[in-house]
Amino acid sequence: MRDAIIGPRAASVSANEPTNLPGVLHAAWLIARKDLAIEFRTRTAFFSSIVFALLGLTIFYFAWDPTAVAAVDIAPGVLWVIFTFSGLLGLQRSFGVEQADGAMDALLAAPVDREAIYLGKALANVLFVAGVQAIALPALALFYSVPLGGVWLPLAGIALLAAVGIVAVGTLFSAMAVNTRLAELLLPMLSLPFFLPIVTAAAQTTARLVAGRPAAEAWPWLRILLGFDLVFVVACAVAFPYTLDE
Amino acid sequence: MTDRTDRTRMDWWLVAAVLAVVAAYARVIWFTPAEATQGLAQKIYYLHLPAALNAYIAFAVVAVTSVVYLWLKDPRADRLAESSAEVGLLFTTVVLTTGPIWGKPVWGTWWTWDARLTLTLFLWFIYAGYLVLRGAVTEPGMRARYSAVLGILGALLIPFIHMSVYLFRTLHPMPIVLKPDRPSLPPEMLQTLMLSFAAFFFTYVVLTRARFGLAVQRAELAMREGSSDGER
């Protein structure tokens, strides 16, 4: 079964692809590549997410009294709220693109494991969110005069950990929300409570990094982030097949 | 099974539950000593804590019945999860309402971002989302599967919210009943609390039972109308 995971159309995509990857991961990679190809050719969600993030950063700047609080103090919180909301824009689309022409049914008919569909979608979403972050982070440094010079590498690590957590839960809920009557409303409503530990941990760690505090202060927060990623990547991958029709 | 006339008949279990809560509160008001420093304000404790404990029980039932549903695909497990979530949300609302009323005279503030307040607020958000999700899916099988998944993930989320909000400082009194060594509540107060808890637990069971009956009737109605759009 595992060797037959590649359908006729996918076969042409994967012609020059190394096939030594384990079946599930390989299938997941193909699905992620399909989603990224769609996104790359249309660029609608990615572009609007970036504009949304930049707009959000700008509007937040004018939403508090700059003589009372320094921009650099409010920056980590603003950053993580904006990341979360712009991430939701991308997640909304993740299963939305499969709605047209019964594409989801075709995907389910393909002889791949259900977990591979989830992992592929999640992988594409992580790359999507990371792409938005890669542009929003320098923008934050510019707009809020945050000195990111010395800490950009650990900050990128935290951003990636947070993106994995957001996407793990968000991908699953996106798959559920598209089939409901309240699709656009339901995804944030279900996801945001799950994002609280991520946003808190990431914002607290970012604040300590930017303030030049010792790394030991950030460690308890980092542990929450790591634990969340581990638990919810596994739990959501296991739960995903249950959200599909038998 | 129940027929149409059942809906108008009095639910005597519900009457008994109301009487039990009234009796427990009569004891709270007239037969339990007032707390030394908080005075009468502390009387709300016998409402606040039992409601909170029963909300936790209700959400634990949601998690367990969700696992059972995904395992056995028994619609009764789904209906029990739905009923328990709704009653649990009601109890959480009671906790979130009585908390500020107690907090204002005792802490001097209606609300504070204390760890347990935040956790309770997020419990409310999670299960409010759970019920909205149920309302947004029309097909019964899909609704049951979706909500079971959310019921399980919600339970997994609680420890993470707990840990992250505890890293902020907490104002809330530390547990004085459910702690490893003996409870530090005076015996009269402890008895009243136990009685109040029992009355609330009884109310939880009765309300969940009534809600379960409603879920059964709705499913029957949908079946009789014989179409997917007849649901709700």
Side-chain angles (χ1 to χ4, degrees), chain A residues 109-132:
Chain A
V112 297
D113 288 323
R114 302 280 157 98
E115 287 83 359
I117 299 178
Y118 170 79
L119 289 176
K121 286 282 180 188
L123 183 61
N125 287 336
V126 166
L127 293 174
F128 180 97
V129 173
V132 175

Side-chain angles (χ1 to χ4, degrees), chain B residues 126-138:
Chain B
I126 295 169
Y127 292 96
Y130 177 91
L131 292 175
V132 171
L133 174 68
R134 295 198 68 100
V137 187
T138 27

Side-chain angles (χ1 to χ4, degrees), chain A residues 176 179 181 242-245, chain B residues 133 135-136 145-146 153 160 168:
Chain A
M176 289 169 29
N179 290 320
R181 290 186 295 202
Y242 290 103
T243 66
L244 304 169
D245 281 322
Chain B
L133 174 68
R145 282 181 283 120
Y146 279 16
L153 291 183
F160 283 100
F168 282 92

